[in-house]
Amino acid sequence: MGKGGENIPKPKFLGKRCDALGRKITLQEVKTHRTPEDAWMVHNNKVYDVSNWHDHPGGHVIFTHAGDDFTDIFAAFHPSDALRHLENFYIGELAESSIDLKPEKQKNFEKAYRELRSKLIVSGMFKSNKMYYAYKCLSNLMIWAFGCLCVLKSDSFSVHMFGAFLLALFWQQCGWLSHDFLHHQVFKNRTYGDYAGVFWGNVCQGFSVGWWKNKHNTHHAVPNLHESCPDAHDGDPDIDTMPVLAWSLKMASTASSTKLGQFFVKYQSILYFPILLIARISWLMQSFTYAFGLGEGIWESKGSEDARRNFPLKNAERLGLLVHYLWLGSLIFGNMSLFRGLAFFLSFSDNVRIYVGISVRIRSQWHVNV
């Protein structure tokens, strides 16, 4: 998650909370501080105030657990040395009455989860196989090369369409490679992971990794959860697709407020894949407006404005996006007629739609099962 706690500044707001320092605070009181402007959080029964910390290295994801316990999500997103920075935000202790009120079922779940995570760490399950990722990177570049050669070395329409199929497969694989590099699964040095993400994300796919990380880190912090209230930031932006797509009965129930929503929900089983035809196009538009700061962007998630202002590697990302459009534009417009170029574009977009649709359905089911 971002720089994982590197170069943490002293909070500017601490003086406003001096009256709370060291005192006992109930969980009920913590729950009243659940917005970015007023955010209290609990870690190992200690209470911290991160209000208005929009410069958080990991982005706006920090506010997903405002008003709640973030002990386990902190461990999942940060290296162990990030713990030393928490003291900058300390304001008090969780009252014993609140600790005792936690349901026994929840306590048992947390204990089992932490034991499982410790066993996975000890067994080396979080250590990456560098040779595997070298193979995946090289094999994916070969897919890209064959896709380009189908265009450069042939005038056949069918061969060009096969090239579009290969490029769509290339982009699908780029998505998962970017995912692993940007989650810092491959390298311990996070700078290496970020720049690898810029290559596979910005240069190869045309997607801003800063835009993606702002949304996707939040998704992992609160997977498939609806926001608790309009002011909170504890909802998963990946399922914020109404009125076009409903991922739960709760979302579908809100469709009655508009005729458009009623139409899409009623025919969602038919429209699901056609809607995803524009998924890549919409992500490209969101990435470009995010990276270049064009207005308020398109279909932004909560916190995008602050994240866009502070996101790292801004120049590298912008250059990467320009390189993407340069190589893709040259491939299409330098070797095809306008009609065939349009067919090529629609073909690889359609194939990406199928790959995305299948992977999204599998991923959604996986998160539900977990």
Side-chain angles (χ1 to χ4, degrees):
M1 186 174 73
K3 298 180 181 178
E6 298 173 11
N7 302 320
I8 302 297
K10 290 285 184 179
K12 301 175 183 179
F13 50 81
L14 193 56
K16 301 178 181 179
R17 304 295 186 189
C18 286
D19 58 329
L21 284 177
R23 70 179 178 87
K24 298 293 184 178
I25 303 171
T26 65
L27 186 59
Q28 287 72 23
E29 182 179 357
V30 172
K31 288 181 179 296
T32 64
H33 302 273
R34 60 185 313 111
T35 67
E37 295 74 26
D38 185 14
W40 291 14
M41 306 164 74
V42 178
H43 183 278
N44 281 333
N45 300 325
K46 296 181 183 294
V47 182
Y48 301 89
D49 183 349
V50 296
S51 303
N52 287 314
W53 193 28
H54 299 292
D55 293 329
H56 173 239
H60 228 245
V61 64
I62 190 172
F63 300 121
T64 59
H65 282 65
D68 205 347
D69 190 303
F70 76 118
T71 303
D72 293 304
I73 200 67
F74 182 90
F77 276 60
H78 297 80
S80 57
D81 62 351
L83 284 169
R84 59 192 172 90
H85 297 293
L86 286 178
E87 63 184 47
N88 294 333
F89 306 92
Y90 172 79
I91 58 172
E93 303 284 331
L94 192 65
E96 292 182 6
S97 59
S98 294
I99 301 174
D100 295 335
L101 285 175
K102 183 178 290 187
E104 197 65 29
K105 183 178 180 180
Q106 178 65 24
K107 292 180 181 179
N108 292 335
F109 175 83
E110 292 176 357
K111 180 181 178 182
Y113 167 80
R114 292 163 187 171
E115 289 177 351
L116 174 61
R117 186 172 185 273
S118 297
K119 290 178 181 178
L120 291 173
I121 292 174
V122 171
S123 62
M125 297 299 290
F126 291 106
K127 294 180 179 179
S128 65
N129 184 325
K130 302 298 188 297
M131 291 302 297
Y132 169 78
Y133 279 101
Y135 155 73
K136 289 300 295 182
C137 290
L138 289 174
S139 63
N140 201 36
L141 287 174
M142 289 180 65
I143 294 174
W144 171 79
F146 281 123
C148 292
L149 286 173
C150 287
V151 175
L152 298 172
K153 297 298 183 179
S154 175
D155 293 325
S156 168
F157 180 81
S158 59
V159 173
H160 284 179
M161 293 306 102
F162 181 66
F165 166 80
L166 290 177
L167 281 181
L169 179 60
F170 165 71
W171 282 321
Q172 189 267 351
Q173 291 294 296
C174 283
W176 290 116
L177 282 172
S178 300
H179 178 277
D180 289 359
F181 280 113
L182 293 169
H183 274 312
H184 307 296
Q185 178 176 320
V186 184
F187 299 115
K188 288 185 178 180
N189 187 313
R190 299 193 167 208
T191 300
Y192 297 162
D194 286 337
Y195 277 104
V198 169
F199 174 76
W200 290 111
N202 295 64
V203 175
C204 294
Q205 294 187 93
F207 296 156
S208 162
V209 299
W211 161 80
W212 180 83
K213 287 176 73 173
N214 182 56
K215 288 188 63 177
H216 196 72
N217 281 344
T218 302
H219 159 73
H220 275 296
V222 284
N224 295 346
L225 295 181
H226 302 292
E227 62 185 17
S228 57
C229 64
D231 293 334
H233 284 234
D234 54 2
D236 183 351
D238 279 6
I239 62 170
D240 184 16
T241 53
M242 286 299 288
V244 179
L245 285 174
W247 302 98
S248 68
L249 293 176
K250 181 177 181 180
M251 294 179 71
S253 66
T254 65
S256 59
S257 59
T258 64
K259 290 184 177 181
L260 185 64
Q262 293 175 32
F263 171 80
F264 277 113
V265 169
K266 183 178 181 179
Y267 297 104
Q268 179 166 307
S269 60
I270 301 172
L271 297 173
Y272 176 73
F273 277 106
I275 288 171
L276 290 182
L277 175 62
I278 65 170
R280 174 172 167 77
I281 300 173
S282 69
W283 294 339
L284 290 171
M285 295 170 66
Q286 291 178 66
S287 292
F288 199 86
T289 57
Y290 185 96
F292 286 91
L294 302 177
E296 296 182 355
I298 302 173
W299 304 307
E300 288 191 339
S301 58
K302 282 187 174 181
S304 291
E305 183 178 349
D306 294 307
R308 184 174 64 241
R309 186 178 64 248
N310 299 314
F311 84 102
L313 305 181
K314 185 179 297 184
N315 292 332
E317 284 214 43
R318 290 174 174 176
L319 178 61
L321 291 179
L322 293 176
V323 171
H324 169 80
Y325 287 110
L326 179 63
W327 76 257
L328 183 59
S330 299
L331 181 68
I332 297 176
F333 299 112
N335 298 278
M336 302 179 192
S337 64
L338 181 61
F339 171 78
R340 184 170 294 193
L342 179 61
F344 187 82
F345 174 82
L346 291 176
S347 179
F348 67 59
S349 296
D350 193 54
N351 280 291
V352 169
R353 171 199 68 171
I354 295 173
Y355 300 148
V356 169
I358 294 173
S359 65
V360 166
R361 292 301 292 266
I362 293 174
R363 188 193 70 180
S364 296
Q365 187 61 45
W366 167 254
H367 280 312
V368 169
N369 289 337
V370 171

